Amino acid sequence: MAKWEYHIETVNISERWSSKRQKEEVEAFRSYLNQMGSAGWEMISYEAVPLTGHFSKDIKGYAYLTFFKRQLEPNG
């Protein structure tokens, strides 16, 4: 029977950031995903969690929770 291990990562993207900064963060995350893939991790899901202001409760951006899995080695 296959055995799996799991990893969760958080990435924040704020609407207050400039479009250039948002693009840089997305590019950094893409690079991170490729590194995880090279290490055998497969992203199986993600969840967007709204980040709200403390007083206004307005959405200020999103935290993206990403869920990964990879198969454990037979003796791992």
Side-chain angles (χ1 to χ4, degrees), residues 15-61:
E15 292 178 358
R16 294 181 295 176
W17 293 343
S18 68
S19 60
K20 179 182 176 191
R21 171 78 189 275
Q22 288 180 10
K23 185 177 179 178
E24 290 169 351
E25 289 298 316
V26 169
E27 179 59 29
F29 185 55
R30 184 192 65 74
S31 178
Y32 180 76
L33 287 175
N34 285 331
Q35 290 174 0
M36 292 292 286
S38 293
W41 290 99
E42 174 187 6
M43 187 175 79
I44 56 172
S45 182
Y46 78 94
E47 182 74 30
V49 179
L51 303 173
T52 58
H54 184 69
F55 296 106
S56 69
K57 305 298 182 201
D58 292 338
I59 295 175
K60 304 294 184 186

Side-chain angles (χ1 to χ4, degrees), residues 1-4 71-74:
M1 179 172 170
K3 294 184 180 181
W4 302 91
Q71 193 167 3
L72 288 172
E73 297 296 323

Side-chain angles (χ1 to χ4, degrees), residues 2 4 6 8 13 23 28 37 56 58 68-70 74:
W4 302 91
Y6 297 88
I8 299 171
I13 304 292
K23 185 177 179 178
S56 69
D58 292 338
F68 297 87
K69 76 173 186 178
R70 72 176 170 188

